[in-house]
Amino acid sequence: MSNENTLSNNENDVSYLEYKGKHSGILGWLLSTDHKRIGLLYLISLSVFLIVGVTFGFLMRLELLTPGRTIMDPQTYNSIFTLHGVIMIFLFVVPGLPAVFGNFFLPILIGARDVAFPRLNLLSWYLYAVGGLLAILSILLPGGPADTGWTFYIPYSVRTNTNVIPALFAAFILGFSSILTGVNFVTTVHRMRAPGMDWFKMPLSVWSLYATAWVQILATPIIGITLLLVAVERIFGVGLFDPALGGDPVLYQHLFWIYSHPAVYIMILPAMGVVSEIIPVFAHRTIFGYRFIAMSSIAIALFGSLVWAHHMFTAGMSDTGQLIFSLLTMIVAIPSAIKVFNWVATLYKGSIDLQPPMLYVLAFIFQFSIGGLTGVMQGVLSVDIQVHDTSFIVAHFHYVMFGGTGFGFFAALHYWFPKMFGKMYNIKLAKRVFWAMFVGFNTLYFPMFIMGWLGMPRRYYDYLPEYQIYHVISTIGSWILVPALFLMFGNFIYALFKGAKVTEKNVWGGETLEWQIATPPVHENFIDIPIVTESPYQYKDNELVLQTQEAK
Amino acid sequence: MFDGVSNFSQSTDLAFFFTLVVSIFFLVLITVLMIYFVIKYNRKRNPKATNVHHNTALEVTWTVIPTVLVLIMFWLGWTGYLEQSRIPANALTIEVTAQMWKWSFKYPNGKETDSLYVPVNKDVVLNLHSIDVNHAFYVPKFRIKKDVYPNQKRSAWFNATETGSYDIACAEYCGLNHSYMYNKITVMSENEFNAWLNSPAKHPGEILASDTSLIKLPDSAK
C-alpha cells in the first residue's frame, strides 16, 4: 500500500517531462505510453521531416528561378518534387496536428488521463517511424528516388525504374499509423469524456479531431489497398491499372483520390479546430455559433468524402460524373464558409489581444479563404479545365495546406508551447517572425495563381520565358519564408533551454481544461478527474457587462 | 487575362470572371471585417469583451447566400463544359498521338506532322491517344485540356476564332522531359489550310517558298 502511495504522490507532483516510470532515459520516451510523451515524439520526428520537405521545396524554387537549368538536371528535379510531396503529405501534414497536438491535448481537453489505447498509440508512432525510414531508404537505395509525383499515377509509376516500391510501402505503412490514431481518437472521444461533458460541451478542436478520425479510419484503407495493388502490378505484372496489361489507369485515379481527397480534410479539419480554440481565448469572449462550427466539421467530413473525382475533370468521365462531382464540390464549400463567418463574428465585440497564436490564426483565416475560394473556382467545370494541372492548383493547395494547416500548426505550437514545456518563447521575436512568414508565404504562392491561369503547367522543370517574372517573384518569396521558418524553430529551441520558466496554469486566459491543470502537466494530467458543468468558452466575467448594457 | 481565341474562351472566361469577382468580394469582406474588429475591439481600446453567442438569422443568411452563389457558379461551369463535351459532327478530324515527349498529328488525307495546323472558324475534332504513359493535351489560349491515355480513346474539339500561332503543352506529368513536350498550333485561313493540306509540303512555310503567288500566310505562321 505504501508503495502505491509514493507512486501516486510522485505522479501528482512531477511533470510528465520528469516523470520516472518503468524505464528511464531515452527508453522512458521510446517505450512510454503516455499520450503527451508520444505527442512529443511525433513533434520531434515531424519537425525533422518538415525541415527535409522545406529544403526540397526551397531547391525547387531555386531551380525555377531561371528557364533552363539553374542548379539541377530534370531527373533530379522530378525526384525532388516527388519527395517534397510524399514527405510533406504523408510525413508532415496528414499526421500533423492530430499526431502532435491531438495526442497531447485531446485527452486533456475531454478530462481524461490518457487515450483509450495507449499501447496502440505508441505502436502508431513506431509505424510512423518505420514509414519515415522507408521513405528515406527510397531516396538512398540504388535506382534513385521515385520520380512519379506523390500521386504515383499509372502507367508511369509501373514503367519508371526508380525506387517506387519502397516509396509505396512507406505510404502504405504510414497509412496504418494514421488509421490507428483514428481508431484511438474515436474511441477516446466516445468513452473517455469526463463526467458531465456531453457532446455539445466538448471543445471545438475535439469535434474537429473526432470528425477527422472517422475520415482516417474510413478512407485510409483504400489508399493502402490501392498502393498494394500497384506494387502487385509492378512486381508480378498483374494487369489492374496498366493499359498495356489490360488494366484501367482511370480506375487507379479514382481509387487514389477516394482516399487522397478526404485526406485533404484530414489535413485541414484539425487546423480549423485549432482556430476555433484560439480565437475565443484571444478575443476573450464566447465563440460565435458553437453548434454551427461543430456541425460544419461533421458536414465537411461527410461531403468531403464524396468529391474525389473533381481531381479528374479532364480525365474523360461521363457527363453525369462531371455534374455530380462538380455540384458536390460546390456544396462542400458551404460548411467551410460557415466556419469562416463564425470565426470572424467571434471577433465582434471581443477584447482582442494580438499574441503570436492569434496572429497565426488571423493569417489562417485570410489564407484559407483564398485557398477555399480558389477551390470553388476549380469546382467550376469549365474553369477547372483551364487550370487543372497548372500552377494555379499548386498555389491553391499550398494556400490550404500551408497557409491553412501549416499556419494552424504554428498557431497551435505558439499557443500550447508554454503548457507543453513550461517555458515561454520570445514573444516579440515570434511576432516579427510571423510577419516575415506572412509576407514570404504570400509572395511565394500568389504569383502561381496568375501564371497558372495563363497556362503554366505544374511539375515543369523548364518553362517559357513569358512566365519568368512570376517564377522570380515566387522564388524571392521562398527566400523570405524559409529563413523565417528557421527563425521560428530557433525561437522555440532557444526557449526550451533558456526561455523564461512558466509555472502559472493559464498563461493566455483560456477556459478549456488544459488551462486548469499544472504547467507542464503531471503524468496522468488530472489528480482528480474534473466534473464538467459548463460549455467551453463561457467567459462569464463578460456577462456582467452584457447585463448592464442591456439594462441601459 | 481574357485573351482566349477559341469558341470556348467566352464561356470559360465568363465563369472565371464571375467566380473571381465573387471570390474577391468575399475575401475583401472577410479581411476588412477582421482588420476592423481587431482595431476596434483591441484589448487596449476595449478591455472588456461582450459575449454574443449566436444569431440564427445571421447563420441562415450566410449559409443561403453563398449556396445560391456557388450554384450559379456551378451552372456557368456546367454549361461551358457541356459545350466542350458535345463533339460536333462534320468536323475536321485529326488523330493525335502522344508519346514521351512529343506530339504527332495525322490529318484525314493521311498527312502527318509534329506541329498542328488548323483552319480558322471551323470545328476541329482531335482524337487523342497515347502510345506509352498518360499525357494531357493542353492549349491554354483555347481553354481546352484533355487527358490522353494509352489504349483508350478520348476526344476534344474546338473552333479557333483567330489566326495565329499558340502553344500546346503536355499537362499530365510524363517523366523526364515532360516540360519539353511543347509544340505549336497554327491557325490559318481555310484556303491556306486546304492548300497546305493538299500539297506535299510539311510546313505551310514551304508552300510559300515554292509558290508565293498562290498564298499569303499570316505572319505568325511562318
Side-chain angles (χ1 to χ4, degrees), chain A residues 263-285:
Chain A
V264 171
Y265 295 97
I266 295 178
M267 304 183 219
I268 192 69
L269 269 170
M272 292 170 154
V274 167
V275 172
S276 310
E277 209 66 69
I278 289 175
I279 288 188
V281 175
F282 292 91
H284 202 77
R285 51 153 283 183

Side-chain angles (χ1 to χ4, degrees), chain B residues 27-45:
Chain B
L27 182 66
V28 169
L29 180 77
I30 290 161
T31 311
V32 166
L33 277 179
M34 227 161 42
I35 294 171
Y36 174 72
F37 289 160
V38 165
I39 294 168
K40 174 141 193 224
Y41 302 114
N42 190 284
R43 187 150 297 176
K44 280 189 202 119
R45 204 166 295 169

Side-chain angles (χ1 to χ4, degrees), chain A residues 147 154-155 243 248 285 289 314-315 319 342 349-352 385-386 388 453 460 462 538-539 541 543 545, chain B residues 1 41 43 46 48 50-53 59 81 134 138 145 147 149 151-152 154 170-171 173 178-180:
Chain A
D147 62 346
I154 284 188
D248 182 1
R285 51 153 283 183
T314 63
D319 287 350
N342 278 294
K349 292 197 176 178
S351 171
I352 298 162
I385 288 167
Q386 172 71 357
H388 177 74
W453 168 255
Y460 262 34
D462 201 356
Q538 285 297 304
Y539 293 93
D541 53 337
E543 289 300 305
V545 183
Chain B
M1 203 167 198
Y41 302 114
R43 187 150 297 176
N46 191 34
K48 200 81 181 156
T50 310
N51 288 340
V52 186
H53 289 269
E59 299 279 356
Y81 160 79
N134 305 346
Y138 179 30
K145 183 184 289 127
D147 291 2
Y149 293 94
N151 293 11
Q152 291 190 7
R154 293 286 187 280
C170 175
Y173 174 68
H178 171 51
S179 68
Y180 293 106

Side-chain angles (χ1 to χ4, degrees), chain A residues 389-391 451-452 454-458 460 462-463 467 471, chain B residues 138:
Chain A
D389 266 326
T390 67
S391 63
M451 62 176 158
L454 294 177
M456 168 77 212
R458 66 190 280 209
Y460 262 34
D462 201 356
Y463 52 85
Y467 299 115
H471 281 294
Chain B
Y138 179 30

